[in-house]
Structures are given as C-alpha cells and as structure tokens.
Amino acid sequence: MHRSVLRILSALLLIGAVATALLYRDQLDIAALETWVNGAGAAAPLIFIGLYALATVLFLPGAVLTLAGGALFGPLWGTLYNLLGATLGATLAFLIARHLAGDWVQTRAKGLIARLIQGVEAEGWRFVAFTRLVPLFPFNLLNYALGLTRIRVLPYLLASLIFMLPGALAYTYLGFVGREAMAGSEGLIRNGLIALALLAAVAFLPRLITRLRQRPMLPVEELKRRLDTGDQDLLVLDVRTPEDFVGDQGHLAEAVNIPLEHLPDQIEALESNLERPIALICRTDRRSAQAAALLAGRGFAQVQVIQGGMTAWRAHGWPVEQAHAQAN
C-alpha cells in the first residue's frame, strides 16, 4: 500500500513538472542558455547533456536543443553531446514509466492493447531501432510508452543511441551552420551544402528502412504448403476490390479482404498483427507490392507478397471460393 501511494505521488509530481515545463516552454531562451553553458568552462558539456536529458523527460522540444548543441560545440562534439543527452533522457523516461506504471499496465492490458504490446515486445530492439530511424510517434511520448513494455533496458538504450545518430548528426550540423552564418564564415556555402546533404539523407532513411523491412516475395507454392499444413498464425490479406474478390478468379478460403484503397484507414484495426506473418495477394502482385510498402512503413515486421497472386494460384488449378468473406 505504501509503495502504491508513493508511486501515485511520484506520478502526480511528474505530471505537474511536465505541465509546468510545457506552460513555460515559450520562454525557453536559447541565447541565455548558450551564455550560461559557455560560462561553465570545462563542465559545460556535462551541464548541456544534463539539461538535454531533463528537457526530454519534461516533453520539451529536443530539436531546439540539438541546434543549440551544434552552435555551442561544433558538428563533432555537438553531435556526441546531443546524442548522449537525448539517449540519457529517453532512458530516464523509459525507466520512470516502467517504475510508475509498468506492472499496472502489464496486468490490466486486454484485447488489442495487450496484443499490440506483445507485438512490440517480440520485435524488441528492432522496434526501437525502426521508430528511431522512422519516427511513427512523438519522440518524448514514445520513450514513456516503450517503458510500459517488457523490452529490456540495455537493448533499448543501445538501439536508441545507435539509431538516433543520423538525425542527431544532421540537425547538429544545421545548428553549426547557423552559427557560421551569423559569424560570416568563409566556409558558409560549403558547410551549408553539407548540412543540406545530411538532411536529405535523413529524409531518405524512412524509405530505405521501409525497403529493407520488406521481405522477398513468397512463391504461391509455399503459400499452398503453409495453408495445407494448417498454419494458424498466417494472415492472408487479399487487397483486391470487393468486386474482384468475389469475381471470376474467386478468392482463397482463408483470405480476408481489405482493398488497397481502404488499407490506410484500416491500419489501426490491423495493429494487433504487427508481428504476425502476413501474406498479401491480389490478381498478380502489383497491388500487393503497394500494400506491402504501406504496411512495412507502419511497422509491420513480417509482410510478404504472394508472387503471381491469384493468377498463379489459378494456374495450378487449386480450389477457390466465390462467397464473400468479411474482414475481422
């Protein structure tokens, strides 16, 4: 009972601190911060890292501090200090959430929420890495949310440290270029081009990671084998139109029909299948490929396109159905 009261008081204190920080965040004076940190001498890096970590815990915008880190310490050391501050703050928020509410959420999570948590836990550090490179949720909120899962602390910390590096480097360098511009540096054009290249690389990363997460096409013969063996874990998702689903080609008895056009609106309903093997099928494999890119970009880990689609299935003479199957 005493521990529960202490946790409730701690949670209320945290909520109050976050609310106060958000209320006064417009008064965050970066120029005054730079003056104060510059006057700290050898302790400046440690002070800056601590402030960055505290800002992360209190939901203050990290991008502003990242730019300030580049202006204060340059592109190399600034990236290091920004990265350490962000990782420290993310880990503190993770541990706070786990201590205050981790057990409570684990024992009370039901239905879709429970399945979503289980999917994230099964992916582990890979889910952390993916969300750091391809931000799906606000950074500060995600730190607390991941603390409510059973992902281990060390993999979380290391994945955050490593996979936040590209973004930290790009925005730190941008802050450095801003300082050079104000100082009228002769290398401004060169540094500006480097900063733009880094930002372009960071912008391209989500597409690259999405492609890497996409698996090779699944031969239709392998799909038949898995269905014949009663693979209950496999979700067969037919992304044709409803008319095609019940049309001349028919559909697989095990298939669920969600047309490609409706898939973005159905993502939330499918989130319980984040770690479940999903076989995408259409008339050939073009619509399935588009659906696979969409699902991979939203964190689905085991998505495969059926090579040749229903056309290949029918070429083998295997059975199909024409009656409509409702999506779950």
Side-chain angles (χ1 to χ4, degrees):
M1 184 67 178
H2 176 70
R3 292 182 63 184
S4 298
V5 172
L6 185 60
R7 287 184 179 182
I8 293 173
L9 291 176
S10 299
L12 292 174
L13 180 62
L14 175 64
I15 293 172
V18 170
T20 301
L22 292 177
L23 184 62
Y24 291 99
R25 65 178 178 178
D26 292 338
Q27 299 183 23
L28 181 62
D29 191 338
I30 296 300
L33 173 64
E34 292 179 357
T35 301
W36 184 52
V37 171
N38 279 326
L46 292 177
I47 292 175
F48 181 81
I49 292 171
L51 288 173
Y52 201 125
L54 180 62
T56 301
V57 171
L58 297 180
F59 283 80
L60 291 176
V64 175
L65 288 172
T66 304
L67 294 172
L72 283 167
F73 304 107
L76 180 59
W77 291 110
T79 297
L80 176 62
Y81 301 151
N82 281 329
L83 191 58
L84 290 176
T87 303
L88 177 60
T91 304
L92 287 174
F94 177 91
L95 292 173
I96 290 171
R98 175 159 296 180
H99 174 72
L100 293 181
D103 293 340
W104 187 88
V105 170
Q106 289 290 337
T107 56
R108 289 168 175 79
K110 305 292 182 182
L112 175 61
I113 299 299
R115 293 194 296 272
L116 183 59
I117 290 175
Q118 290 170 3
V120 171
E121 291 172 346
E123 188 80 349
W125 70 267
R126 292 182 295 274
F127 183 84
V128 179
F130 178 72
T131 54
R132 295 314 190 199
L133 286 172
V134 188
L136 300 175
F137 305 100
F139 172 69
N140 294 330
L141 180 61
L142 181 66
N143 299 328
Y144 282 96
L146 289 175
L148 301 177
T149 70
R150 290 195 179 97
I151 293 176
R152 290 183 295 138
V153 177
L154 184 58
Y156 169 85
L157 187 154
L158 292 177
S160 297
L161 181 68
I162 294 170
F163 292 97
M164 286 194 297
L165 177 59
L169 177 60
Y171 284 97
T172 301
Y173 206 96
L174 190 62
F176 167 71
V177 170
R179 188 194 68 182
E180 294 291 286
M182 294 181 64
S185 171
E186 294 181 358
L188 176 61
I189 295 178
R190 180 198 62 200
N191 292 331
L193 290 175
I194 293 174
L196 288 175
L198 289 172
L199 289 173
V202 170
F204 179 73
L205 273 176
R207 291 188 179 184
L208 175 61
I209 298 304
T210 297
R211 288 182 178 274
L212 291 176
R213 286 178 68 88
Q214 293 182 30
R215 298 190 169 197
M217 286 191 179
L218 185 70
V220 69
E221 296 82 3
E222 175 63 15
L223 173 64
K224 181 67 163 58
R225 185 194 67 79
R226 292 176 66 173
L227 293 178
D228 287 345
T229 58
D231 187 346
Q232 298 296 319
D233 195 38
L234 180 67
L235 172 62
V236 181
L237 193 59
D238 193 316
V239 295
R240 293 176 296 165
T241 65
E243 294 77 17
D244 286 339
F245 187 72
V246 296
D248 294 340
Q249 283 193 324
H251 59 263
L252 306 186
E254 300 82 359
V256 171
N257 181 221
I258 301 181
L260 175 63
E261 295 79 7
H262 300 164
L263 192 55
D265 298 327
Q266 297 291 325
I267 289 290
E268 290 186 5
L270 287 171
E271 283 183 345
S272 60
N273 301 292
L274 277 173
E275 301 304 319
R276 184 179 179 183
I278 299 177
L280 295 166
I281 194 166
C282 62
R283 178 175 292 274
T284 55
D285 46 43
R286 292 184 179 181
R287 290 170 65 91
S288 298
Q290 296 178 53
L294 174 63
L295 292 176
R298 294 295 296 270
F300 290 80
Q302 301 189 60
V303 178
Q304 287 186 282
V305 173
I306 303 304
Q307 190 171 23
M310 288 301 299
T311 301
W313 182 277
R314 290 295 300 269
H316 286 279
W318 293 328
V320 298
E321 293 188 359
Q322 266 76 36
H324 187 70
Q326 296 294 329
N328 292 330

